[in-house]
Structure formats: structure tokens, C-alpha cells
């Protein structure tokens, strides 16, 4: 299930993040110095960012309501495009959850009249994420040097893009 974050989701979100920290820390800047307050601020800020059109953040949940991860579209790469971000609880990776969620939010983003493309910015060392976005129709648009903010990063970000008409 995919739905917007709620304040009651904070404790299970913290649990899912802590359970997945070895897999998140290499790639996610927010995981490097993670505290419970990071999760509180993430969830509490989600509604305001949604209303301001800055980010569309969804929680991923199983049928019983357990937190499986997060998928987001963020308006931080310039006009006409949104950036896709996602992660899945380690115990649930390899089941197609990230791909299904990313495909759904990408389609929703591309349905917005002001959005012509969705991009995924993935460090070149993160092969699993690159394979996933490729499977759901993103193509490699280029690469660029970026600041290293997490221990697994190389400083080369691959920009994967899916346009409205693809």
C-alpha cells in the first residue's frame, strides 16, 4: 500500500530505518547522522511540503500496515521536472516493491501538467538502484560530479530520466 505519511507512522518508520541502516547509510545523506528527530521532522514536514508543491512523500506499507519504506517526488531539480527518491526496508528488498512504488509515483508525477520529466539521481556505485529505474522505463540522460554526502558514494551521479511521452 502506498499512502501519505501520518504522524502515527513515526515510530514504525524509525524502526524500519534502524533495521535497514547498513543498506541506507552508504547512499542516503540523511542516514549518515540519523536520529529519531530526523524521522519526526520528515513526517511532520511532509504535509507542508506537499501543500507547497515542494515534495510528494509516500510511505510504503504491507497489507498488515507494517512500514516497508518510502517513495518521494521532490521539486528540487528545476521547473518542469521532479526527482524520484525511494528506499525499501532491507527485509523486503528484492520483491519488486521499490519498482512498483516508483512506477506509480512516476506516473502520477508525469500526469501533472507542469511536469514533463521525472529524474532519479543515483550514484554510479549504486548498481541495484540503477537497474531498478532502468526496469521501469528510465533512461540514462548523463552524469555529473557531485559532492560526496554518504560513505558509499563516488562523487559521480548518474541522472536517469523518464519523460512524459515514454
Amino acid at each position: 500500500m502506498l499512502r501519505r505519511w501520518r504522524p502515527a507512522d513515526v515510530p514504525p518508520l524509525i524502526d524500519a530505518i534502524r533495521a535497514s541502516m547498513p543498506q541506507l547509510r552508504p547512499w542516503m545523506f540523511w542516514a549518515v547522522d540519523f536520529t529519531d528527530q530526523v524521522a519526526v521532522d520528515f513526517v511532520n514536514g511532509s504535509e507542508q511540503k506537499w501543500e507547497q508543491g515542494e515534495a510528494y512523500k509516500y510511505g510504503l506499507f504491507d497489507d498488515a500496515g507494517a512500514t516497508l519504506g518510502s517513495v518521494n517526488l521532490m521539486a528540487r531539480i528545476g521547473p518542469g521536472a521532479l526527482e524520484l527518491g525511494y528506499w525499501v526496508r532491507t527485509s523486503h528488498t528484492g520483491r519488486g516493491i521499490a519498482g512498483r512504488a516508483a512506477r506509480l509515483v512516476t506516473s502520477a508525477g508525469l500526469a501533472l501538467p507542469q511536469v514533463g520529466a521525472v529524474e532519479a539521481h543515483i550514484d554510479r556505485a549504486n548498481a541495484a538502484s540503477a537497474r531498478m529505474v532502468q526496469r521501469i522505463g528510465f533512461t540514462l540522460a548523463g552524469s555529473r560530479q557531485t559532492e560526496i554526502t554518504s560513505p558509499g558514494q563516488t562523487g559521480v551521479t548518474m541522472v536517469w530520466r523518464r519523460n512524459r511521452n515514454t
Side-chain angles (χ1 to χ4, degrees), residues 49-69:
K49 289 184 183 295
W50 188 292
E51 296 304 322
Q52 294 173 345
E54 293 178 26
Y56 307 98
K57 300 177 180 188
Y58 298 90
L60 304 174
F61 306 91
D62 69 11
D63 291 338
T67 302
L68 303 182

Side-chain angles (χ1 to χ4, degrees), residues 21-55:
M21 194 54 72
Q23 290 72 37
L24 295 174
R25 188 171 278 126
W27 314 115
M28 305 293 187
F29 71 89
W30 53 263
V32 173
D33 294 315
F34 180 77
T35 64
D36 292 359
Q37 191 61 47
V38 171
V40 170
D41 293 345
F42 173 81
V43 171
N44 289 342
S46 292
E47 187 67 29
Q48 180 181 12
K49 289 184 183 295
W50 188 292
E51 296 304 322
Q52 294 173 345
E54 293 178 26

Side-chain angles (χ1 to χ4, degrees), residues 1 31 36 40 51 53 55 63 65 75 77 94 97 111 120 125 147 151 162:
M1 178 174 63
D36 292 359
V40 170
E51 296 304 322
D63 291 338
I77 57 174
I97 295 168
E147 177 185 356
R162 182 161 166 214

Side-chain angles (χ1 to χ4, degrees), residues 21-145:
M21 194 54 72
Q23 290 72 37
L24 295 174
R25 188 171 278 126
W27 314 115
M28 305 293 187
F29 71 89
W30 53 263
V32 173
D33 294 315
F34 180 77
T35 64
D36 292 359
Q37 191 61 47
V38 171
V40 170
D41 293 345
F42 173 81
V43 171
N44 289 342
S46 292
E47 187 67 29
Q48 180 181 12
K49 289 184 183 295
W50 188 292
E51 296 304 322
Q52 294 173 345
E54 293 178 26
Y56 307 98
K57 300 177 180 188
Y58 298 90
L60 304 174
F61 306 91
D62 69 11
D63 291 338
T67 302
L68 303 182
S70 184
V71 62
N72 311 302
L73 290 174
M74 299 154 290
R76 62 183 186 191
I77 57 174
L82 295 170
E83 182 181 350
L84 172 69
Y86 54 88
W87 64 272
V88 173
R89 187 181 186 127
T90 302
S91 60
H92 287 75
T93 59
R95 301 180 190 186
I97 295 168
R100 287 191 303 273
R103 185 179 291 116
L104 285 169
V105 299
T106 296
S107 294
L110 291 173
L112 297 171
Q114 72 275 20
V115 176
V118 173
E119 294 181 354
H121 297 185
I122 300 170
D123 189 88
R124 75 171 169 197
N126 192 345
S129 282
R131 283 191 304 273
M132 190 281 291
V133 295
Q134 211 172 1
R135 277 194 304 270
I136 65 167
F138 283 67
T139 57
L140 185 60
S143 64
R144 65 173 189 244
Q145 293 293 125

